[in-house]
Amino acid sequence: MQIDAVKCIGCGQCRPYCTMDAIDFTRSVKGNKVHCTVDEEECVDCGICYRSGVCPTDALFQPLHDWPRSVRGTFSNPLAEHKETRVPGRGTEEMKTNDITGRYKQGYAGMAAEMGRPGTGARMRDAEKVFKALAQLGVEFETNNPLTGLLLNKQTGEMNPEVLNEKVLSAIIEMLIPLDKVNAVLETLDKVATEIDTVFSVDLVSKVALDDTVPTAEIMKKNGKWFSYNGKTNVGLGHLRVKGGIAQ
Ligand code: SF4
Ligand code: SF4
């Protein structure tokens, strides 16, 4: 995002909308006018300041960026489309609708590390550190996830070096793991969390077992880790698969 210094009257109304605290006051060269500028190194091109519509002089504008800067907008602006998946957003919808799609079957867990959430943003170089740590455990990264699309090597977790300095509002690493690997993955995430300059939250998805327990919740309880149950109903998404009267 950029601000037209001629149009900007320095009212500051756009500043509270910035998710990255990237908008600041500055004085013009002659010193007789205060206007705002965007720290483009910290700006993630989320477009929230622009879409808020608060600017009284129409001074905010979003330039079209080339690769690799373009990555910021596609991961941070929910209205932008990813070239890899052709869908907006940061992860795959089906993770939220597992009980309908059956993507993660009994005995497996879907797991995600939501980089940059809540509220800090994340550099791709930190996402790569997490990718590399997880790759050593042989996890299967989700092919249809836009962040996976930036990997050069799924076996090592190496990302395209051109994007490493890019900062995004959030980016989600998604993977499929057998339930007996959940502990090892959690331990690895605990360790790598101390090596990165951002935060992430972890999602764990599993089908409810036949005895009505949630296998991933049982694992978290056994480890003494804090978690909250989360349910989400997305009407109209997914395809119900039924075999012998049982949703698969
Ligand atoms: S596009 Fe987003 S990060 Fe950039 S200045 Fe606007 S609100 Fe801040
Ligand atoms: S709202 Fe518009 S005029 Fe006011 S500081 Fe922001 S860019 Fe400048």
Side-chain angles (χ1 to χ4, degrees):
M1 188 63 61
Q2 288 180 16
I3 292 175
D4 184 326
V6 176
K7 287 184 178 175
C8 178
I9 55 172
C11 67
Q13 287 190 69
C14 55
R15 292 185 73 207
Y17 289 87
C18 182
T19 50
M20 296 291 119
D21 199 19
I23 302 176
D24 214 345
F25 292 107
T26 189
R27 199 163 276 280
S28 64
V29 180
K30 287 185 181 161
N32 55 1
K33 185 182 178 240
V34 172
H35 63 95
C36 279
T37 48
V38 174
D39 179 345
E40 288 204 78
E41 188 49 32
E42 294 304 319
C43 170
V44 293
D45 294 334
C46 66
I48 292 171
C49 54
Y50 177 80
R51 288 199 304 281
S52 70
V54 291
C55 182
T57 62
D58 208 14
L60 288 153
F61 65 99
Q62 178 64 67
L64 272 181
H65 288 295
D66 294 331
W67 173 268
R69 170 86 196 199
S70 55
V71 162
R72 296 190 186 216
T74 50
F75 277 88
S76 308
N77 185 336
L79 301 180
E81 191 183 76
H82 283 275
K83 285 190 190 117
E84 294 82 6
T85 60
R86 303 230 173 265
V87 291
R90 292 167 277 266
T92 54
E93 290 291 352
E94 284 71 17
M95 196 163 197
K96 299 168 188 160
T97 53
N98 191 53
D99 274 318
I100 297 293
T101 60
R103 178 168 145 196
Y104 308 117
K105 301 196 185 314
Q106 300 286 4
Y108 287 85
M111 201 165 187
E114 300 203 25
M115 309 287 304
R117 278 183 179 174
T120 57
R123 298 266 172 198
M124 289 298 182
R125 74 171 79 91
D126 282 329
E128 186 189 56
K129 281 182 193 161
V130 179
F131 264 129
K132 282 182 169 173
L134 293 169
Q136 286 179 20
L137 299 173
V139 307
E140 191 179 314
F141 297 118
E142 168 55 44
T143 311
N144 291 321
N145 172 295
L147 199 58
T148 309
L150 298 177
L151 284 177
L152 275 190
N153 186 328
K154 282 192 203 165
Q155 273 66 51
T156 64
E158 185 190 355
M159 294 183 79
N160 184 331
E162 291 173 355
V163 300
L164 294 184
N165 193 43
E166 299 306 333
K167 184 181 176 186
V168 296
L169 193 58
S170 71
I172 305 176
I173 296 174
E174 282 178 84
M175 65 210 103
L176 170 76
I177 49 175
L179 282 174
D180 61 13
K181 259 193 184 171
V182 170
N183 275 334
V185 172
L186 288 173
E187 276 170 25
T188 299
L189 288 174
D190 264 346
K191 187 167 174 291
V192 77
T194 64
E195 297 164 13
I196 58 176
D197 191 22
T198 184
V199 297
F200 60 81
S201 50
V202 174
D203 309 321
L204 258 177
V205 182
S206 65
K207 288 187 82 71
V208 176
L210 294 176
D211 63 0
D212 287 343
T213 57
V214 179
T216 43
E218 298 306 311
I219 292 169
M220 295 298 271
K221 280 184 208 163
K222 227 180 241 174
N223 276 290
K225 291 203 181 295
W226 181 90
F227 70 97
S228 71
Y229 287 103
N230 244 318
K232 187 159 185 173
T233 305
N234 284 350
V235 178
L237 292 172
H239 310 281
L240 183 62
R241 290 181 201 151
V242 178
K243 212 177 186 180
I246 299 171
Q248 302 295 298

